[in-house]
Amino acid sequence: MTTGGCSSAAKIWNWMSVNTAQTVKRDVLFNEAHGLATDIYYANTENQPSKGTIIFIYGGSWRSGNKELYGFLADGLGKYGYDVVIPSYRLYPNAAYPEFVQDVADFMQWYADNAQAFNLSLDNLYLMGHSAGAYNAAMYLTDPSYAKPLSYQAFIGLAGPYDFFLPTEDPKYIPIFTENGPFNVPNSMPAHQPGNNLAKIVKRALLLHGKDDTIVTPKNIASFGQYLTDKNVAVQTRIYDDVDHKQLVSAVNNVPFVSHNIRDEIIAFIEKDSLDNK
């Protein structure tokens, strides 16, 4: 799950993207002890209420990535009338599993306590993640040990390692999943959690993957999709031909003439239009 080119690619997308956000609040602190903050992108709704809030958890193999890289994604979703909130979380070696999942949980509690003060939705709320960020978000949702002060209209997972990753012998990941205990085991993955009352926390899920993804294999969405179905969460899946790990998230942009239908299908799903399972 390397991310060598993700940072440079994201900078290019940010440079090319057409900014449709009406207002951006940057570095809003939500965890002072660990210096964690969030960026808030308010959609340009031309004096109309926003349609809801999308919380996006970015990836980076739990070693890299930052919220500033994903302004292009906020532009791509904001043009449809959705506010986008992108929180940070601790990375290895400053944190190891399960601390980065706890950071997501801490942010969700902050959001529940502060959404109204920042004019963000508590009713039409969507949780979206890419790669390691999709893992963090899914693990937070499915592990009942984390408090759930919010409920979500949908979870949208892009190339998430939900299963078939642990145990690992890869020296890049062993310390991340063993430093705080013997967690290098399959039950540290979302698809192996109890998922108590999951259908009351999230109504629907959209799991997307690229067929050309060599970093996180597409079979992850089959196992996690079945898990969610068993928990009475309505699931739709899509595997895109000729799309790799980075392209799946970079497609959610607002760059003229190059935006992929991935973005439009995410919006169609959010807005409850039909999306064929494939």
Side-chain angles (χ1 to χ4, degrees), residues 2-15:
T2 57
T3 58
C6 285
S7 177
S8 57
K11 290 177 181 177
I12 294 173
W13 287 115
N14 283 335
W15 177 72

Side-chain angles (χ1 to χ4, degrees), residues 1 62 97 135 138-139 142-143 160-167 177 183 185-194 220 224 227:
M1 287 173 53
W62 302 283
Y97 175 84
Y135 167 89
M139 195 69 180
T142 58
D143 186 341
Y162 313 112
D163 202 359
F164 299 108
F165 172 65
L166 297 176
F177 285 91
F183 298 121
V185 292
N187 63 11
S188 298
M189 299 304 286
H192 297 263
Q193 299 307 301
N220 277 267
F224 194 51
Y227 166 90

Side-chain angles (χ1 to χ4, degrees), residues 1 7 31 45 94 119 136 185 208 210:
M1 287 173 53
S7 177
N31 185 321
T45 54
N94 295 320
N119 198 29
N136 291 357
V185 292
L208 304 180

Side-chain angles (χ1 to χ4, degrees), residues 141 148 150-153 196-203:
L141 287 176
K148 306 296 193 303
L150 300 163
S151 61
Y152 308 87
Q153 296 295 324
N196 297 349
N197 300 315
L198 185 59
K200 294 182 179 180
I201 300 166
V202 60
K203 297 178 180 179

Side-chain angles (χ1 to χ4, degrees), residues 91-169:
L91 301 172
Y92 189 81
N94 295 320
Y97 175 84
E99 291 170 320
F100 36 75
V101 183
Q102 183 61 55
D103 292 341
V104 173
D106 290 345
F107 171 77
M108 296 305 177
Q109 185 60 61
W110 176 90
Y111 186 98
D113 295 338
N114 294 277
Q116 291 183 325
F118 286 91
N119 198 29
L120 296 167
S121 178
L122 284 168
D123 298 321
N124 295 317
L125 188 60
Y126 304 87
L127 179 55
M128 179 177 176
H130 173 247
S131 192
Y135 167 89
N136 291 357
M139 195 69 180
Y140 163 73
L141 287 176
T142 58
D143 186 341
S145 67
Y146 297 104
K148 306 296 193 303
L150 300 163
S151 61
Y152 308 87
Q153 296 295 324
F155 168 71
I156 303 160
L158 281 63
Y162 313 112
D163 202 359
F164 299 108
F165 172 65
L166 297 176
T168 179
E169 297 180 359

Side-chain angles (χ1 to χ4, degrees), residues 11-44:
K11 290 177 181 177
I12 294 173
W13 287 115
N14 283 335
W15 177 72
M16 294 175 64
S17 184
V18 176
N19 190 319
T20 60
Q22 184 180 41
T23 307
V24 181
K25 290 185 181 295
R26 299 194 184 277
D27 299 321
V28 179
L29 199 67
F30 71 86
N31 185 321
E32 186 174 0
H34 298 302
L36 299 177
T38 187
D39 290 344
I40 302 171
Y41 295 80
Y42 293 99
N44 184 354

Side-chain angles (χ1 to χ4, degrees), residues 128-131 134 155-160 162 205-211 213 216-218 220-221 236-240 243 248 252 261-263 265-267 269 275-276:
M128 179 177 176
H130 173 247
S131 192
F155 168 71
I156 303 160
L158 281 63
Y162 313 112
L206 176 64
L207 305 180
L208 304 180
H209 221 104
K211 190 174 183 180
D213 192 334
V216 178
T217 57
N220 277 267
I221 67 172
Q236 294 183 1
T237 64
R238 177 66 64 91
I239 298 178
Y240 295 96
V243 172
L248 190 67
V252 189
N261 63 336
I262 292 171
R263 179 200 63 191
E265 291 178 346
I266 290 172
I267 293 297
F269 171 81
L275 175 63
D276 293 335

